[in-house]
Amino acid sequence: MGSLLNWLRPRENAMARLLGRFVRAESPSFDKAAVDRFGRIVAAEWKRRGASVTFARQRERGDHIRAEWHPRGGRASGQILVLGHLDTVYEAGTIAHMPFHVSRGRAWGPGAFDMKGGLVIALFAVDALVATSRLPEKRIVFLWTTDEEIGSKTSRRIIERESRRSDAVLVLEPALGPEGRVKTGRKGVGEIELIATGRAAHAGLNPQDGVNAIEEIALQIARVSRWKELRRGTTVCAGVIEGGTRSNVIPEHARVLVDVRAARAADMRALERKFLALRPILKGAKLQVLGGFNRPPMERKASAALYDVARVLAKHPGGCDPLGEARYRLPQGSRLRLPGRPVA
């Protein structure tokens, strides 16, 4: 590990320059042309390092990139997946009023932290391994997706396919807090839509004939908000609400979008069952429940073994070659398992 750090430290300025180039190549999720331009820049960097690069073409979103690196050649003894994304939450033009710069040891700019810094780290990690003759036995696959910030709808199948082929998956999302703590668990997240249908009527002439869809939705929000359990990591948050046409008309339609999160797969399933069991509260109202969790939680028990291996490698770098191939192997059965429901 010491030789790797010794090689990397003098190259911090080079890393910052490459990060600046990446940040200035803006890549908002919904702008396919911009994401693809940035993707070609990233792909060129991997080709220069001898990786085999392929594109998973997309019609509406950016093309996902798969870079396979196996410098020893021959038959690999397994696969490690390194996962990240090319897209950012920032709209095109943000760089004009949020320019890239480095100040007091920190880099600033749209997407620098999440997660173009991770893309730079991957490239220089490969450079360091080659320069210090620490070539891994395993095949390393770098998968850079283009729609992570908007739900990974086009990349999810690709991620799951590569994950199931891999002995371990390392995600280069930002570490937690200024201490750089490694994330070994993450909440599952989803979105549930409640749609209420009532009956329109004049609010002054015949209110008794109406069924207020907004009132139905308000009552449902009050009901589901009691389901959050902050100590267990379960949250329910009504974030968007719509309904009504005019103030003097009892509204016939209303809807609410609810953000749901859970730290445990069992809690995720229980929460979904509660939502699916909802029934109208007002007489004459109808209620429709759509959506659910789209990303299951990663419970720490699923990643603890891999994290323990990483800690051992960090403390005893002389006893093994990169990625734990010699003295410290991944524990039996530590391959990735996807919790929660299978994906259709």
Side-chain angles (χ1 to χ4, degrees):
M1 188 67 70
S3 60
L4 292 172
L5 291 177
N6 291 338
W7 188 89
L8 286 165
R9 283 194 179 105
R11 290 163 177 81
E12 287 184 356
N13 289 338
M15 295 175 75
R17 286 194 297 272
L18 184 59
L19 177 58
R21 184 183 176 207
F22 281 7
V23 170
R24 294 183 186 100
E26 293 179 287
S27 52
S29 305
F30 292 105
D31 190 335
K32 174 175 171 57
V35 177
D36 284 344
R37 280 194 297 271
F38 176 51
R40 289 191 291 270
I41 294 172
V42 174
E45 292 290 335
W46 284 104
K47 289 177 181 178
R48 277 197 285 272
R49 288 160 173 83
S52 173
V53 177
T54 56
F55 294 86
R57 305 292 181 183
Q58 305 299 314
R59 178 173 296 180
E60 296 182 358
R61 303 291 171 243
D63 299 334
H64 310 306
I65 296 176
R66 182 185 188 275
E68 182 175 317
W69 184 65
H70 187 209
R72 289 178 183 257
R75 188 171 182 177
S77 59
Q79 173 174 304
I80 297 289
L81 176 63
V82 180
L83 183 61
H85 61 93
L86 303 171
D87 61 319
T88 76
V89 299
Y90 297 94
E91 296 296 329
T94 302
I95 194 71
H97 58 84
M98 192 189 295
F100 175 81
H101 67 283
V102 178
S103 176
R104 298 181 180 180
R106 294 188 179 184
W108 305 80
F113 183 60
D114 183 11
M115 64 159 295
K116 294 184 176 182
L119 304 179
V120 172
I121 287 172
L123 289 163
F124 275 81
V126 163
D127 291 345
L129 292 174
V130 172
T132 59
S133 300
R134 290 171 170 256
L135 302 181
E137 294 287 346
K138 293 184 183 294
R139 174 178 62 252
I140 314 297
V141 171
F142 299 89
L143 180 60
W144 311 128
T145 66
T146 60
D147 61 353
E148 192 273 348
E149 297 290 2
I150 53 175
S152 302
K153 290 183 179 179
T154 68
S155 59
R156 181 163 182 164
R157 289 183 182 274
I158 301 172
I159 294 170
E160 291 182 347
R161 182 178 66 241
E162 290 294 344
S163 297
R164 292 188 176 101
R165 295 173 177 171
S166 304
D167 298 314
V169 180
L170 307 175
V171 182
L172 295 187
E173 281 275 2
L176 183 62
E179 304 90 356
R181 289 179 287 172
V182 176
K183 296 177 182 177
T184 57
R186 195 160 189 176
K187 290 182 180 180
V189 62
E191 182 180 87
I192 294 178
E193 181 180 11
L194 303 180
I195 303 173
T197 302
R199 186 165 54 248
H202 194 283
L205 296 178
N206 60 331
Q208 70 280 0
D209 295 331
V211 178
N212 194 316
I214 289 180
E215 288 186 13
E216 175 67 32
I217 282 295
L219 291 170
Q220 295 291 349
I221 291 173
R223 171 189 277 174
V224 303
S225 66
R226 294 194 292 268
W227 295 346
K228 59 177 170 245
E229 298 182 67
L230 298 182
R231 290 186 178 181
R232 291 184 63 83
T234 301
T235 59
V236 179
C237 176
V240 176
I241 186 168
E242 298 174 348
T245 54
R246 296 168 58 184
S247 62
N248 65 342
V249 176
I250 292 176
E252 185 177 10
H253 299 288
R255 64 189 284 266
V256 63
L257 296 179
V258 183
D259 180 278
V260 289
R261 299 176 189 249
R264 298 173 176 86
D267 293 343
M268 174 192 74
R269 290 188 286 267
L271 190 58
E272 283 191 328
R273 286 195 296 269
K274 284 185 176 182
F275 271 95
L276 292 174
L278 285 173
R279 295 296 179 265
I281 296 173
L282 297 179
K283 185 178 180 179
K286 296 179 181 179
L287 184 69
Q288 188 177 11
V289 181
L290 303 175
F293 278 83
N294 54 61
R295 295 183 186 176
M298 181 179 75
E299 298 185 44
R300 193 184 185 283
K301 62 185 180 183
S303 61
L306 179 59
Y307 178 63
D308 288 342
V309 170
R311 292 182 64 186
V312 170
L313 297 181
K315 291 180 179 179
H316 304 283
C320 59
D321 63 11
L323 304 170
E325 274 298 301
R327 282 179 52 186
Y328 305 105
R329 298 184 180 276
L330 295 176
Q332 185 70 26
S334 64
R335 295 172 63 87
L336 179 73
R337 293 291 182 266
L338 296 173
R341 300 169 301 168
V343 180

